[in-house]
Amino acid sequence: MPGHLPGGPPDHLLGRDTELRLLADFLSATTDQESALLVAGEAGMGKSALLGAAADLARTGGRLVLAARGVEFESALPFAALNQLLIPLTGDLAGLPTRHAVTLSVALGLSEGPAVERAQVTAAVSWVLRRGAAIQLLLVVDDLHWVDAPTRAVLADLSPVLRGPGIRLLMACRSGDEDLLDGWDAWALPRLDLAPLRQDAAATLLSTRFPGLATRVAERVLVEAGGNPLALLELPAALDDSQRSAAQGLPIVLPVGARLQAVFTERLRALPGATRELLLIAALDGPGDGRLLRTAAGNGSGPPALVPAGTAAGLVDLDRRTGRVTFRHPLVRAAIVAGSSSEERRTAHRRLADSFADQPERRAWHLAEASVDVDEEVAALLDQVARRRQRRGDVSGAVDTLLRAAHLSPAVGQRARRLAEAAYLGADSTGDLGMATQILSDARRSDAESGGALHTALAAAYVLFSGEGDLLAAHRLLVASLATDLPAYRPGDAARAEAVGTLLMLCVWGQRPELWASFYEHYRRLEPGEDQLLDLEVATLADPARTARGAIPALDAALARLDEETDPSRVYRVARAATFLDRGDLCRQALERVVSDGRRGGAVGAQLHALMQLELDAFARGRWTDAGLLAAEGLSIAVDRGYGTAASWFQAAQAELAAAQGDVEELRRLSEQVARWAVPRGAGGPLQVLRHARGLAALGNCEFEEAYREFTSITPAGIFTPHVPRALRVPLFLVEAAVRTGRTAEAARHVAAMAEGGIASLSPRLAWAVAGATAIAAPHDEAVGLFERALALPQGDEWPFESARVHLAYGEHLRRARATTGSRVELATAAEGFDRLGAQAWAARARNELAVTGGSRDRGRAVGRGHLTPQEHEIAALAASGHTNRQIAERLSVSPRTVGAHLRSVFPKLGVKSRAALRDALTLVDAGRAEPDGAQPAGRLPEGGSKGSWTP
């Protein structure tokens, strides 16, 4: 079918769908103006591949294909390319008129004879092509820059013949070689210019041909290739296995194979020696400032020796003012380096290192590249560079630097340490667990010689936990290594503090009491204040109900500095410390920066951690749509990168969201998946999230006994279980479940435990939860005052789920006390709050309670602009008659804060800005009210209530 290739394009033509359709249309067109087409593009852009695809399509369509390709050593032979082109037809020379047969026989070198004129050859070829037009011909001429001049001239002279419907001519040349086609100007030759592949197509091509390529190596290749298809195929092929897996660092300039090198060989070969020398320095300098080139020139105008590389060879652009060199093609640098000897490269690196004495990082890299043997001095410099890169957030760069430092390390212990640190950083931040595993294999071999295994154990434990999820095995491995390493410990040992921090993470994820003793044993062996961030994490994550209060000043100080933090691991560690103290909003900007970096190919492991913290905060603050998107993104990345533990956590987060929104079937499906993964691995963290989720679902559906069972499995009533930070997320729900199941003593004990522990002082959300739980558990005659006190707390809008929960509980209490009007207001407020959240089961529960008061289940729903709920109408009418918020609150048995919230909703609905305008606006609204406020009670529900409502 015209415009389509049968079976679709092969993988080496990925990203060229538009070009392939254009070629297919060119072959099937019948207009004379489309008889010839020139494909132009930089070297390696896939011109030959497209011509080959067009030839295959032409053969499929029944055309005879005549093809020729320019060859360098034949470019001086007259009619060499024409010979290639007409070989399939030479057997028919006998059928030509004698003069044409003799002309072609001599021109093509088939016989001896007098020299032939160009016009004679053109006439003979025209005769041949006219005969072939009857069977449809496609002439394909590739590498036009190597085609001999006589053949090019004849092709240009053939334009009248090519206007016939049965012949097509397809040619290809490099961009910049169009001057070879001067003879075609009058014909206005149509052309197809090949641009670099788009990023998505380039990434697909690379992953298709090199599926095992490590992520950060693939990212480097994509940058170096610049969308050039040949480079995408050749650059990875020139790497060895350890480089492709990222187990070994990559050089400053990626190596190229023979095919890529040949693309520029002839242009480089023609340059003077001094020019090639300076080109090599410029290529190895990377984003240099041109200082060494200016020095070589002896003045500030740029080195004259480089001029031929730009003017004649077309390889570079030279800024004479700054001395900077810009390579015109992404592969020129690689070809220059590949064409140099190892000694030439080392000499250039030494000169560059000397010129960058004031830039330690660049100096260290050039010294490393100039080194032949191991060199601890250079390795130590690279070690320092890696630390700086990590602090700046360039984790991939830090990994590469550590790998290079390990390669140069003469001592096996230092080599093992640097390899292990690279593996740990790679797993923790870049997300490349496969690369980390391969590096660890090398590190273990060095450890066997040196006896120092802590770094390796740390990396292995992290990889084991993150990938396979075997938390208990990772914990055993790390504890054993810490104990073995103890005699060698010195204060300030960063590796030991890092290992203890990883042990803390395993304990928090495990949620198993038996894991904690070994953690505290090794944590207490650290010097006080040795790792202040670790101290903060211990205080806020290990047992926050008891220890977090004293750490709040340090946490707030760390949060104040967070936007200036560049190390992604420190960003998410501070955010993790803030999670259960509900300060996630102060981390959001820094965390979003980490996530954005990961989306652009940065630290993927850090991105996963950041997505977790953002999801937790979004869920707590009622931004449930955002929470769902964050969890879905995190799950996709975790599954794609093989992070089993993170994948399980994101599924548990999705289960919690499904529970809050009342999607019981989705909760059940996700719960089964999470449990199937987490239970055999001893990962209690995701299971705690599931318990919370199932408790929320049960409470929303008034299944109070099940809710009590789930919440007390997280922490018993009256206790905040040590080392269970999620206990701070359940007090309001646990107390309500206790009261609704008649366990008033247990509810009172939990309220007392909250008061004794000062839980309300930890965050505004916890203040709301504690105040609401206190009111729910209070004796009947004290409850109203306590509910009013709870609803008067500030920042309720920031915690909409807790706020709606307190309104619901207060409305239920007022209904039981037969304060009908006040009950309706609170229940409608709760229903509206749950609607905004998307908490369907909770909204239904509030409306069922509203129906029991004699109101409609739809009383809480606004119908659009200008339509008020009955509660809003009642409050607006009182405000219009001159009542203050406090007077309205006393009359309706609600809080002044609730009155204010309703009025803030009423004003925009009515399109007014003051109380003075309320009366006229209400006159218009009253005509449309469907249900009077004094509707008759709908009657009590049967004893025991129903799944959708509750009565005492």
Side-chain angles (χ1 to χ4, degrees):
M1 190 170 86
H4 297 278
L5 285 177
D11 59 9
H12 65 282
L13 286 172
L14 287 170
R16 294 300 190 196
D17 293 349
T18 300
E19 292 83 353
L20 288 168
R21 282 194 296 271
L22 191 151
L23 289 174
D25 291 342
F26 164 73
L27 292 173
S28 60
T30 58
T31 61
D32 293 344
Q33 287 74 18
E34 298 182 353
S35 296
L37 180 67
L38 174 67
V39 179
E42 292 285 355
M45 279 298 172
K47 300 182 294 296
S48 298
L50 281 170
L51 263 59
D56 290 342
L57 185 58
R59 294 186 185 98
T60 302
R63 285 184 182 271
L64 175 63
V65 176
L66 304 178
R69 182 170 194 163
V71 181
E72 180 180 5
F73 67 84
E74 292 183 346
S75 59
L77 298 177
F79 302 118
L82 187 64
N83 191 333
Q84 291 184 55
L85 199 65
L86 297 182
I87 278 178
L89 302 179
T90 54
D92 296 333
L93 291 181
L96 295 177
T98 303
R99 67 183 185 280
H100 293 325
V102 171
T103 296
L104 282 181
S105 180
V106 172
L108 299 181
L110 301 177
S111 63
E112 297 292 334
V116 293
E117 299 291 335
R118 166 178 156 186
Q120 294 175 299
V121 176
T122 300
V125 173
S126 297
W127 184 276
V128 172
L129 294 182
R130 284 193 181 97
R131 293 181 61 192
I135 58 172
Q136 303 285 306
L137 294 176
L138 171 65
L139 279 62
V140 178
V141 182
D142 197 3
D143 285 343
L144 200 60
H145 55 287
W146 289 126
V147 170
D148 58 278
T151 298
R152 292 202 310 268
V154 168
L155 290 174
D157 291 341
L158 288 174
S159 57
V161 179
L162 295 175
R163 286 182 177 275
I167 305 175
R168 294 286 180 271
L169 171 62
L170 187 60
M171 300 181 290
C173 77
R174 295 184 307 200
S175 298
D177 287 338
E178 291 85 348
D179 58 340
L180 299 172
L181 299 168
D182 288 343
W184 297 85
D185 286 350
W187 193 9
L189 183 65
R191 61 185 280 165
L192 168 61
D193 288 292
L194 296 186
L197 294 179
R198 298 188 313 273
Q199 182 74 5
D200 56 344
T204 300
L205 173 59
L206 190 61
S207 62
T208 300
R209 293 295 291 269
F210 299 93
L213 201 63
T215 303
R216 61 193 187 86
V217 178
E219 291 163 355
R220 173 77 183 279
V221 169
L222 287 171
V223 171
E224 296 275 342
N228 186 293
L230 180 60
L232 289 165
L233 298 175
E234 293 290 319
L235 287 175
L239 301 174
D240 60 33
D241 290 342
S242 64
Q243 289 174 324
R244 281 194 289 267
S245 66
Q248 179 183 333
L250 298 175
I252 292 176
V253 179
L254 293 182
V256 297
R259 289 179 64 194
L260 276 179
Q261 190 174 345
V263 168
F264 301 101
T265 296
E266 71 276 7
R267 282 188 267 180
L268 290 170
R269 188 186 302 148
L271 295 174
T275 301
R276 292 199 302 272
E277 180 181 348
L278 289 181
L279 278 177
L280 178 60
I281 289 174
L284 295 175
D285 193 11
D289 58 12
R291 67 174 69 178
L292 185 55
L293 298 179
R294 289 196 300 273
T295 301
N299 56 55
S301 63
L306 275 178
V307 173
T311 58
L315 298 172
V316 300
D317 290 318
L318 175 64
D319 188 325
R320 290 176 173 270
R321 183 178 61 83
T322 64
R324 287 181 181 272
V325 172
T326 303
F327 293 95
R328 294 181 182 176
H329 192 284
L331 299 174
V332 171
R333 288 179 68 218
I336 291 168
V337 174
S340 64
S341 68
S342 58
E343 182 55 37
E344 287 172 336
R345 291 192 294 273
R346 286 194 295 272
T347 299
H349 280 299
R350 283 193 291 269
R351 292 181 63 185
L352 285 164
D354 291 341
S355 71
F356 289 117
D358 60 333
Q359 297 185 31
E361 291 193 23
R362 296 177 70 182
R363 177 173 178 270
W365 264 110
H366 287 300
L367 285 174
E369 293 298 316
S371 300
V372 178
D373 299 318
V374 294
D375 188 327
E376 179 56 31
E377 182 179 353
V378 176
L381 288 174
L382 290 173
D383 212 325
Q384 296 170 16
V385 170
R387 310 286 169 230
R388 284 194 290 270
R389 288 189 167 186
Q390 184 183 359
R391 287 193 295 270
R392 290 201 308 265
D394 180 13
V395 183
S396 293
V399 171
D400 279 339
T401 308
L402 282 169
L403 290 173
R404 185 69 175 123
H407 179 71
L408 292 173
S409 301
V412 290
Q414 289 284 45
R415 172 181 168 80
R417 176 184 68 78
R418 287 161 178 154
L419 285 171
E421 287 186 14
Y424 178 74
L425 272 181
D428 182 44
S429 297
T430 67
D432 202 334
L433 294 180
M435 173 271 292
T437 301
Q438 183 161 343
I439 295 174
L440 277 173
S441 177
D442 194 6
R444 286 193 184 98
R445 286 193 293 271
S446 295
D447 269 335
E449 300 176 45
S450 67
L454 181 58
H455 290 87
T456 305
L458 170 61
Y462 189 92
V463 171
L464 184 62
F465 165 67
S466 299
E468 299 174 18
D470 196 338
L471 182 144
L472 299 181
H475 186 273
R476 286 193 299 270
L477 173 64
L478 203 50
V479 168
S481 185
L482 280 166
T484 303
D485 183 70
L486 190 57
Y489 167 63
R490 296 291 182 272
D493 184 348
R496 189 168 186 84
E498 191 80 45
V500 174
T502 302
L503 200 58
L504 171 66
M505 180 193 66
L506 295 175
C507 291
V508 171
W509 276 81
Q511 297 285 289
R512 300 166 70 91
E514 66 272 16
L515 302 180
W516 286 94
S518 54
F519 163 74
Y520 282 115
E521 175 187 352
H522 292 289
Y523 173 62
R524 292 184 183 115
R525 293 180 185 277
L526 298 176
E527 289 290 312
E530 183 174 333
D531 188 331
Q532 295 181 358
L533 182 51
L534 176 58
D535 293 340
L536 186 60
E537 289 178 295
V538 173
T540 57
L541 291 172
D543 193 5
R546 294 168 181 79
T547 61
R549 189 175 304 98
I552 287 177
L555 175 61
D556 289 342
L559 291 170
R561 299 188 299 268
L562 197 58
D563 286 341
E564 302 172 4
E565 181 60 68
T566 55
D567 183 346
S569 67
R570 291 185 66 84
V571 169
Y572 70 71
R573 286 179 65 188
V574 171
R576 191 163 56 194
T579 294
F580 292 103
L581 299 184
D582 303 304
R583 285 158 169 80
D585 59 322
L586 301 176
C587 310
R588 190 180 308 164
Q589 184 173 333
L591 288 170
E592 287 176 346
R593 188 175 69 243
V594 173
V595 171
S596 296
D597 180 63
R599 289 169 180 160
R600 294 191 301 268
V604 176
Q607 180 187 7
L608 288 173
H609 288 294
L611 286 169
M612 290 179 191
Q613 305 310 317
L614 287 169
E615 193 282 335
L616 281 166
D617 184 63
F619 181 82
R621 293 177 187 276
R623 294 185 289 105
W624 289 356
T625 299
D626 290 346
L629 294 173
L630 291 163
E633 180 180 0
L635 179 60
S636 175
I637 296 169
V639 170
D640 183 56
R641 296 300 184 95
Y643 271 72
T645 298
S648 177
W649 188 94
F650 284 115
Q651 286 180 320
Q654 289 178 328
E656 186 176 42
L657 188 60
Q661 293 174 327
D663 191 341
V664 178
E665 287 304 314
E666 181 70 356
L667 169 62
R668 183 177 296 113
R669 181 186 71 82
L670 289 166
S671 295
E672 291 174 356
Q673 291 183 1
V674 174
R676 189 161 52 245
W677 191 91
V679 170
R681 291 167 172 81
L687 297 177
Q688 289 281 38
V689 180
L690 285 187
R691 295 184 184 105
H692 191 196
R694 289 194 295 261
L696 283 179
L699 200 58
N701 286 301
C702 300
E703 296 167 348
F704 299 115
E705 189 65 41
E706 181 180 346
Y708 183 79
R709 184 169 56 252
E710 293 291 353
F711 288 127
T712 52
S713 70
I714 296 174
T715 186
I719 299 173
F720 283 88
T721 302
H723 309 124
V724 181
R726 187 160 281 269
L728 293 177
R729 289 286 170 102
V730 302
L732 179 60
F733 307 111
L734 190 154
V735 167
E736 184 190 3
V739 169
R740 299 301 191 235
T741 56
R743 296 179 172 91
T744 55
E746 287 85 345
R749 282 204 304 273
H750 209 62
V751 169
M754 287 187 273
E756 182 181 349
I759 301 300
S761 67
L762 296 179
S763 77
R765 183 193 67 81
L766 285 168
W768 268 82
V770 170
T774 302
I776 290 172
H780 182 80
D781 56 346
E782 299 176 13
V784 170
L786 291 171
F787 273 116
E788 290 292 335
R789 188 180 306 167
L791 292 172
L793 288 172
Q795 298 180 309
D797 292 344
E798 293 185 27
W799 315 103
F801 194 39
E802 277 76 7
S803 176
R805 286 280 298 102
V806 175
H807 280 293
L808 174 60
Y810 190 17
E812 290 172 336
H813 173 82
L814 292 174
R815 182 187 66 75
R816 294 194 298 274
R818 291 180 170 76
T820 303
T821 301
S823 174
R824 289 175 183 172
V825 171
E826 297 299 334
L827 292 170
T829 301
E832 291 168 9
F834 291 134
D835 280 336
R836 284 192 293 270
L837 287 166
Q840 297 176 8
W842 289 88
R845 176 178 161 184
R847 290 201 171 83
N848 286 337
E849 289 286 336
L850 188 60
V852 176
T853 70
S856 166
R857 282 184 171 84
D858 294 327
R859 287 180 67 87
R861 298 184 187 272
V863 185
R865 180 178 174 84
H867 295 274
L868 307 181
T869 67
Q871 291 72 31
E872 289 173 338
H873 186 281
E874 186 170 10
I875 290 173
L878 290 170
S881 65
H883 287 76
T884 66
N885 284 11
R886 185 169 295 281
Q887 291 169 332
I888 297 171
E890 291 174 353
R891 181 164 177 169
L892 299 181
S893 299
V894 297
S895 70
R897 181 182 178 84
T898 298
V899 174
H902 278 291
L903 286 176
R904 285 194 297 274
S905 176
V906 165
F907 280 24
K909 284 185 179 181
L910 296 181
V912 301
K913 297 182 179 180
S914 67
R915 291 184 181 230
L918 279 175
R919 185 182 300 277
D920 292 340
L922 285 172
T923 300
L924 298 174
V925 172
D926 282 342
R929 296 191 70 206
E931 183 181 342
D933 191 43
Q936 292 299 312
R940 293 178 65 86
L941 294 174
E943 188 66 29
S946 72
K947 192 170 184 177
S949 65
W950 177 82
T951 55

